[in-house]
Amino acid sequence: MVARTLRDRSKIAPASGFALRDGGTLVVEDPLRPSTHPLVRGQESWRAGARLLNGRGQVVARVDIEVVMWTPGSMLVQLRPVDANTHRWSARRARRYFALAHAGADRLERVLNDEGARRVARRVPFQIRPIEVDDLEGLRALFWRLSPESRYYRFLAPVRRPQERFLHHLAEVDHEARDAIVAVIDDEIVGVARYDRDRSDPRNAEVAVVVEDAWHRNGIATRLGFELSKTASRRGIEQFTATVAADNRAIATFVGSLPVQSSWAWDGGQRQLAIPLAHHMES
């Protein structure tokens, strides 16, 4: 199915150049080939090499393109940097890469899914439950399935591997001052939402939400945020706070989906987010 679709829409081929809205270019270097390690278990997946260029034609990063068939005529595209030393990138280069990678994936998705056609959101069944101590390995597996971009947005640093001590910290919560819930698909953790209560002001809590890239746009982050908000509100927490990377566009969509009025403030190149927990979120 993937091969036939790609042959019929042969706009993605070696040396194809795609101008991006952020003033750069995505240049595909290899023909798409079957992936031996699919991005999503049970789905056909194809890969190719490419370069992300800035507006002056300079290489910002070499990337792997991954194309996943969801349903006939519906494909997901993800870009990953080939460079193993992304943790050494300057903040400027990292920001430029993220902007171009976003634009490149969006452009290829439009090409493969018939540019101009209305995109229909995918809906998949998932379960929400409290995190458990035994979820340590599930959290480890989720980390390795996250793109470098998602790891950066979650931890505000280019984390290369999860430390054992940190994984224990994430999995072992007291369900009061610290709590977390997970989204599960086919017994795999695909998303996590957690809060850490402010010790100096227990009415406030820092919140963090992450969803595996392959399962974005399924309403998982919104559901996680809503359920965590209800739990926190019942425990007397009145406001969630978060520090957000300046170029994290997805967070604006997530915050906009919540039935409350949030506020933003700038602090040293990052955004500080405050989300009041209204009483009606308990319903």
Side-chain angles (χ1 to χ4, degrees), residues 7 10 16 18 88 91 119 125 130 150 154 175 180 199 205 210 214 239 274:
R7 280 199 300 269
S10 56
S16 294
F18 297 90
R88 297 180 180 174
R119 299 275 301 283
S150 290
R154 169 59 182 86
H175 300 289
R199 294 182 180 180
V210 66
Q239 179 176 259

Side-chain angles (χ1 to χ4, degrees), residues 197-257:
R197 207 162 192 160
D198 189 331
R199 294 182 180 180
S200 61
D201 185 352
R203 295 172 301 175
N204 292 333
E206 185 175 11
V207 67
V209 180
V210 66
V211 174
E212 181 179 339
D213 299 67
W215 299 111
H216 286 181
R217 305 179 189 135
N218 280 282
I220 296 176
T222 299
R223 176 74 183 283
L224 283 169
F226 187 79
E227 295 298 331
L228 188 69
S229 297
K230 290 197 297 182
T231 298
S233 183
R234 287 195 298 267
R235 294 173 181 162
I237 295 173
E238 300 176 3
Q239 179 176 259
F240 278 159
T241 62
T243 301
V244 181
D247 58 344
N248 188 342
R249 301 172 183 175
I251 193 66
T253 301
F254 165 67
V255 172
S257 70

Side-chain angles (χ1 to χ4, degrees), residues 45-273:
S45 180
W46 286 50
R47 302 181 71 175
R51 289 172 292 155
L52 285 171
L53 310 181
N54 62 21
R56 292 176 292 177
Q58 299 170 323
V59 176
V60 174
R62 292 185 178 276
V63 296
D64 276 332
I65 299 172
E66 182 118 15
V67 178
V68 179
M69 172 69 79
W70 289 93
T71 61
S74 177
M75 298 186 186
L76 170 72
V77 176
Q78 184 175 106
L79 273 61
R80 296 193 189 95
V82 175
D83 188 357
N85 296 313
T86 54
H87 62 290
R88 297 180 180 174
W89 285 5
S90 65
R92 181 179 180 182
R93 183 181 180 186
R95 287 195 298 269
R96 191 63 179 143
Y97 164 76
F98 289 148
L100 291 172
H102 264 306
D106 288 347
R107 179 67 188 276
L108 293 189
E109 281 191 5
R110 289 198 300 271
V111 170
L112 289 170
N113 293 318
D114 289 328
E115 190 164 359
R118 181 177 180 178
R119 299 275 301 283
V120 178
R122 300 179 299 275
R123 294 296 173 189
V124 295
F126 59 91
Q127 291 76 45
I128 302 292
R129 63 166 174 79
I131 200 168
E132 300 171 356
V133 174
D134 293 341
D135 285 329
L136 187 144
E137 291 304 323
L139 294 177
R140 190 198 312 277
L142 172 62
F143 177 88
W144 291 117
R145 294 196 305 272
L146 294 175
S147 67
E149 178 184 34
S150 290
R151 296 177 197 171
Y152 179 83
Y153 284 155
R154 169 59 182 86
F155 302 109
L156 296 180
V159 181
R160 295 191 61 193
R161 60 177 58 85
Q163 300 297 322
E164 204 69 20
R165 182 178 177 181
F166 185 54
L167 286 173
H168 279 280
H169 173 77
L170 294 178
E172 298 166 4
V173 299
D174 61 11
H175 300 289
E176 183 61 39
R178 297 180 57 247
D179 205 357
I181 57 177
V182 297
V184 179
I185 297 177
D186 293 334
D187 296 324
E188 287 187 336
I189 295 176
V190 300
V192 184
R194 65 177 60 249
Y195 74 73
D196 284 76
R197 207 162 192 160
D198 189 331
R199 294 182 180 180
S200 61
D201 185 352
R203 295 172 301 175
N204 292 333
E206 185 175 11
V207 67
V209 180
V210 66
V211 174
E212 181 179 339
D213 299 67
W215 299 111
H216 286 181
R217 305 179 189 135
N218 280 282
I220 296 176
T222 299
R223 176 74 183 283
L224 283 169
F226 187 79
E227 295 298 331
L228 188 69
S229 297
K230 290 197 297 182
T231 298
S233 183
R234 287 195 298 267
R235 294 173 181 162
I237 295 173
E238 300 176 3
Q239 179 176 259
F240 278 159
T241 62
T243 301
V244 181
D247 58 344
N248 188 342
R249 301 172 183 175
I251 193 66
T253 301
F254 165 67
V255 172
S257 70
L258 299 177
V260 293
Q261 184 63 46
S262 304
S263 61
W264 300 86
W266 286 94
D267 181 14
Q270 295 178 329
R271 292 186 292 178
Q272 301 297 323
L273 172 63

